[in-house]
Amino acid sequence: MLVLAFDTATAAVTVALYEWTPGEGVRCRGAVEEARTRKHTELLVPAVAGVLADAGAVPGDLSALVVGTGPGPYTGLRVGLATARAMGDALRVPVHGVCSLDVIAWASGRDAPFAVATDARRKEVYWARYASAAVRTAGPAVGPPADVRAGVPDGLPVIGEGAALYPEVLGGTGDGFAPLLPSAAALAELAIVRLSGRKGPDLTAPEPLYLRRPDAKEPGPRKKVTPA
C-alpha cells in the first residue's frame, strides 16, 4: 500500500509518501516540509511531484490519498482538499481526511490528557482536547486561548503553535510545545494504522473544518446616490 499524505491547514505545506507492506511494516519513501509559508497554491503540486519523483514512483502507483482537513484558514484548506479530490478522481483511489489537530496529537505520542492549539489569528486559536494521542475528547473549536482550559485542571499540558504563541495563558516553555504543526509523515502513519485495521483517530471524508466564515464577502447592492 502506497499512501500519499499532505496538509495545508497551517502556514506550512507538508507532503509525505509512505509505504506499508504486510509482514514488513511501514517505511517512508519521501517527505518535504515547506515551513512558514502561505504560498500553498504555488508549492503543493510541485512538492507532491518532487516527493513522487524522488521515490521513483508515479501517481498511478498510489493506493490512497490522505489530507489534513483543518481547522484552518479558508484559502489554505481549499488548496489541499481540492488537490486531494482532483487526484483521487483522476486516479480512482480513495481519499481520506484527518483533522489536522489529531495529526499533531498523534505525533506527540502522549498517553495522558493534553490539548492541542494552533494559530487561528485574530488573537484566537484552533483547539481540541485529548485523553491520549489517539483519543479526542473535545473540539475542534475556535476561540480565545482561555477557552482551551475552560472546565479542565490548570495543569493540563497544551502543545502546538498556538500554545507557543500564548504561553502566558496556556503555559509551557521551550520544547514542551512540540510538535508545533501537523506533519504529513504523522498523517501518513496515522492513515496506514487505520487502513490496516488498527485503532487510532478516525479517518473522515475529505471535507474542510473551516469553523469560521471566509473573510471575503460578496459585495452588496450599490448605494443610491441622490442628486445634489
Side-chain angles (χ1 to χ4, degrees):
M1 176 187 293
L2 196 61
V3 175
L4 177 68
F6 46 86
D7 189 294
T8 58
T10 68
V13 172
T14 176
V15 180
L17 183 68
Y18 269 61
E19 184 175 18
W20 173 62
T21 305
E24 296 183 12
V26 179
R27 69 185 180 108
C28 176
R29 295 280 301 274
V32 63
E33 304 278 343
E34 296 282 358
R36 303 292 176 185
T37 178
R38 300 195 186 279
K39 297 181 179 180
H40 301 89
T41 303
E42 295 93 330
L43 293 175
L44 178 58
V45 172
V48 167
V51 166
L52 289 171
D54 290 346
V58 296
D61 296 332
L62 297 175
S63 306
L65 293 157
V66 58
V67 60
T69 59
Y74 179 81
T75 301
L77 279 182
R78 181 179 59 186
V79 170
L81 287 160
T83 301
R85 290 170 180 165
M87 289 185 66
D89 286 344
L91 299 172
R92 297 185 179 181
V93 297
V95 181
H96 305 283
V98 178
C99 171
S100 301
L101 300 176
D102 290 354
V103 177
I104 296 174
W106 179 262
S108 77
R110 292 173 177 255
D111 57 9
F114 66 103
V116 174
T118 59
D119 183 19
R121 306 177 211 170
R122 306 179 191 175
K123 297 184 179 180
E124 293 184 331
V125 294
Y126 298 115
W127 64 270
R129 291 197 291 264
Y130 296 82
S132 69
V135 180
R136 180 169 11 118
T137 57
V142 62
D147 285 1
V148 182
R149 292 202 171 280
V152 299
D154 289 341
L156 183 76
V158 185
I159 64 173
E161 186 180 34
L165 287 172
Y166 303 103
E168 70 283 358
V169 179
L170 299 178
T173 58
D175 293 340
F177 301 127
L180 296 180
L181 300 172
S183 160
L187 177 57
E189 291 173 359
L190 185 161
I192 288 173
V193 163
R194 292 309 310 270
L195 292 172
S196 62
R198 291 170 285 168
K199 293 183 178 180
D202 290 336
L203 299 179
T204 66
E207 298 293 337
L209 292 167
Y210 289 130
L211 302 189
R212 281 182 181 151
R213 291 183 177 275
D215 292 332
K217 296 181 180 179
E218 292 185 11
R222 293 184 177 183
K223 293 181 179 181
K224 292 183 179 179
V225 178
T226 56

